[in-house]
Amino acid sequence: MIYKEVQPSKDLQEYIQNYWKFEVVENSDKTFPIQHETLPENTMSLVFINQPYFNGIRIMGPHIEKYTQSLFPNAIFLGIRIQPWLNIHSLTTNKVDILNKTLPSSPEVENHFKELQLVTGFDNFTLFEKQVVSFLKRSTIQKNDMVKFICLQLNSGKSIAEITSQIPASTRVIQKKFKETTGLTMKQYANIERQRNTWKAIMLENKNPLDAIIDNGFYDQSHFINEFKKIMKRTHNDFQSYLASVHMEFH
């Protein structure tokens, strides 16, 4: 299995967090289908899928719990992570309604990307981005600058109290606008970011696990383990072994 993340061009970074690709290579050592589990996501993705039983586009909402997907040989998933401070009307008008859900995309979206030939080995992100640019240009997009500020501050590890103290509005108003825009509470968003950053540090940067845990705001290893079990319903050691079976690339 191969997982890859690619950064968008500079002009699109206001709209796109990253592109991601997940491929399942046929392997005689594996028993299919594989029950693949991923960490929660604090933003939505537009996902292009080519599996033996399905070929199409789905909208994956933010997730505060693990996401499970049955995988088959030679399957490929290609995703666009949308920046959480945006609302693209052709995808959804209410992210709270798609929390922990994946839904069919609209005929408009399907038609726009109908020329995309998605097969295993796909790697032409330059061509793909041209189609994304065209899609964004014809879309109605709303951006919330306050929510963008909060997301970027949370991404950097700032506390919610520290962030909200800098905004001239009541905490209740801030919380309401943040959830309306992202589909999540600030605490949910921060917890997901912390988990994902910890695992990236451990698996990609080869950081000492305890250092990665402390650096990302957990009090100690027990705190991290307990929070992980709440969302994934499995042990962190088991999940780490599973991740080790996936080849990961970040560009």
Side-chain angles (χ1 to χ4, degrees):
M1 295 182 289
I2 302 169
Y3 177 77
K4 182 176 183 177
E5 282 186 12
V6 175
Q7 291 299 306
S9 61
K10 188 175 180 180
D11 290 344
L12 282 189
Q13 289 175 9
E14 182 71 22
Y15 305 94
I16 307 298
Q17 191 177 98
N18 57 52
Y19 306 115
W20 58 268
K21 180 181 72 168
F22 188 80
E23 289 185 83
V24 185
V25 181
E26 190 164 5
N27 189 323
S28 59
D29 295 334
K30 295 186 182 298
T31 301
F32 290 96
I34 297 170
Q35 293 306 307
H36 177 62
E37 295 181 348
T38 63
L39 291 166
E41 293 265 358
N42 55 16
T43 191
M44 64 180 290
S45 283
L46 184 63
V47 186
F48 303 78
I49 304 170
N50 189 350
Q51 284 241 68
Y53 62 87
F54 178 79
N55 190 321
I57 308 173
R58 304 280 285 179
I59 296 168
M60 180 178 177
H63 276 64
I64 58 173
E65 56 192 36
K66 69 178 180 181
Y67 178 74
T68 303
Q69 172 75 53
S70 296
L71 301 178
F72 293 85
N74 300 316
I76 181 169
F77 302 78
L78 179 66
I80 308 169
R81 281 195 181 94
I82 310 297
Q83 293 289 17
W85 51 81
L86 298 180
N87 191 339
I88 300 177
H89 287 204
S90 57
L91 301 183
T92 182
T93 56
N94 190 335
K95 291 181 190 173
V96 175
D97 288 346
I98 62 171
L99 182 65
N100 296 324
K101 296 177 182 177
T102 56
L103 302 171
S105 61
S106 66
E108 175 190 353
V109 174
E110 294 275 354
N111 185 60
H112 180 84
F113 289 98
K114 64 183 179 181
E115 301 301 325
L116 179 66
Q117 300 297 313
L118 185 63
V119 295
T120 53
F122 174 88
D123 210 41
N124 195 341
F125 286 92
T126 300
L127 176 62
F128 181 52
E129 185 164 84
K130 288 181 181 179
Q131 295 179 308
V132 174
V133 169
S134 174
F135 171 70
L136 292 173
K137 283 182 177 179
R138 61 193 294 182
S139 299
T140 301
I141 302 174
Q142 288 180 309
K143 180 180 76 167
N144 189 294
D145 288 321
M146 181 183 74
V147 172
K148 176 184 176 181
F149 170 78
I150 295 171
C151 289
L152 293 178
Q153 294 292 300
L154 289 173
N155 292 351
S156 70
K158 297 282 182 64
S159 71
I160 294 172
E162 184 180 358
I163 297 167
T164 55
S165 69
Q166 302 176 61
I167 301 173
S170 71
T171 302
R172 183 178 179 183
V173 168
I174 296 169
Q175 289 173 335
K176 181 180 179 182
K177 184 54 65 176
F178 188 89
K179 187 165 186 178
E180 285 177 353
T181 305
T182 67
L184 304 168
T185 67
M186 287 184 282
K187 184 176 180 181
Q188 288 170 337
Y189 182 98
N191 287 343
I192 293 169
E193 186 72 10
R194 185 167 56 177
Q195 279 283 345
R196 296 184 72 85
N197 286 342
T198 301
W199 283 105
K200 283 183 180 180
I202 293 171
M203 301 302 298
L204 299 175
E205 300 168 21
N206 294 315
K207 271 195 174 182
N208 176 282
L210 185 57
D211 289 342
I213 288 167
I214 299 301
D215 288 347
N216 282 287
F218 294 99
Y219 304 130
D220 53 29
Q221 190 172 29
S222 294
H223 182 208
F224 167 72
I225 291 171
N226 290 335
E227 290 296 312
F228 179 81
K229 282 184 177 178
K230 284 180 186 177
I231 59 173
M232 296 297 288
K233 314 301 182 191
R234 66 193 295 183
T235 70
H236 69 293
N237 287 328
D238 175 48
F239 186 63
Q240 186 169 352
S241 296
Y242 177 71
L243 288 182
S245 70
V246 180
H247 175 74
M248 300 184 190
E249 298 178 25
F250 287 69
H251 299 271

